[in-house]
Amino acid sequence: MKRCAQFRFAYLFLGFMTILLAGCGFQLRKDAQLPFEQAYVEASEGSRIAPLLRQSLAAQEKLAADKTGAPILIVVQAERHSKDILSLSGAGKVREYRFRYQATLQVLDAASQPLITPILLQQVRDVTYEENFALAKETEEHQVRRNMEEQALRQALRRLAYVKR
């Protein structure tokens, strides 16, 4: 009987919190609404963020087909990943790594004039390492890198929302 009352209280509390959040205007964050009509993304061959940026612009129907007709040019510069040893065990084996992702975006108008200051995208993650689980840690490293790139994309889109022409 007590357990049933506890569940009722939990459901009542959950319902109350849902109503409270809905009443205060809480909303999940949506994609940044970009103020320009179209943009072209220019990047070097091995860029990791450029395809994500193109895909996001295409989803909002704001990706220009070519550079010549685009009113906005987004240039991906100085993109790099790094992996540094953060700490070692007493035996001299790696215990933690620090992953970094950095990229710079330059936003230009049709006359190649900068519209905003260059956007520095920077993500840092610390990850533990265990030699006995090398394969699992390798998979985790790929996931962490992909997550860092996706977070950098979100950061870039939020900054691109403030471009004024």
Side-chain angles (χ1 to χ4, degrees):
M1 195 77 170
K2 273 188 173 181
R3 180 165 261 184
C4 186
Q6 289 174 341
F7 283 123
R8 284 187 195 150
F9 178 74
Y11 286 127
L12 183 62
F13 181 74
L14 184 63
F16 175 72
M17 290 305 290
T18 303
I19 291 170
L20 184 65
L21 284 175
C24 74
F26 173 79
Q27 293 181 8
L28 294 174
R29 185 183 302 174
K30 298 178 182 176
D31 288 336
Q33 297 301 316
L34 303 175
F36 46 83
E37 293 177 21
Q38 287 192 325
Y40 181 79
V41 179
E42 182 176 281
S44 63
E45 185 67 30
S47 175
R48 303 282 296 167
I49 198 168
L52 297 173
L53 190 54
R54 287 184 189 113
Q55 183 180 17
S56 182
L57 289 172
Q60 295 186 31
E61 298 177 357
K62 298 199 180 232
L63 182 63
D66 61 352
K67 182 179 176 178
T68 57
I72 304 280
L73 176 65
I74 302 169
V75 181
V76 179
Q77 305 169 332
E79 182 178 16
R80 73 179 189 130
H81 278 281
S82 66
K83 177 180 175 180
D84 301 319
I85 296 173
L86 190 60
S87 66
L88 299 172
S89 68
K93 295 183 180 182
V94 176
R95 290 176 59 193
E96 289 181 296
Y97 283 109
R98 175 166 284 165
F99 297 110
R100 293 176 196 258
Y101 174 76
Q102 288 183 328
T104 304
L105 301 182
Q106 182 70 44
V107 182
L108 308 170
D109 63 6
S112 296
Q113 296 299 314
L115 294 174
I116 59 174
T117 59
I119 301 170
L120 175 63
L121 306 174
Q122 198 169 16
Q123 296 289 314
V124 178
R125 302 284 188 283
D126 296 338
V127 178
T128 60
Y129 183 76
E130 179 62 44
E131 193 174 278
N132 296 334
F133 304 111
L135 187 59
K137 289 297 183 174
E138 184 179 329
T139 303
E140 181 183 15
E141 179 179 339
H142 291 297
Q143 290 174 341
V144 166
R145 288 181 187 268
R146 185 174 41 236
N147 180 268
M148 290 168 60
E149 292 161 1
E150 290 170 356
Q151 288 294 325
L153 172 69
R154 288 187 196 100
Q155 184 182 1
L157 290 173
R158 284 192 302 272
R159 291 286 305 275
L160 289 171
Y162 293 101
V163 171
K164 294 183 181 172
R165 289 189 49 214

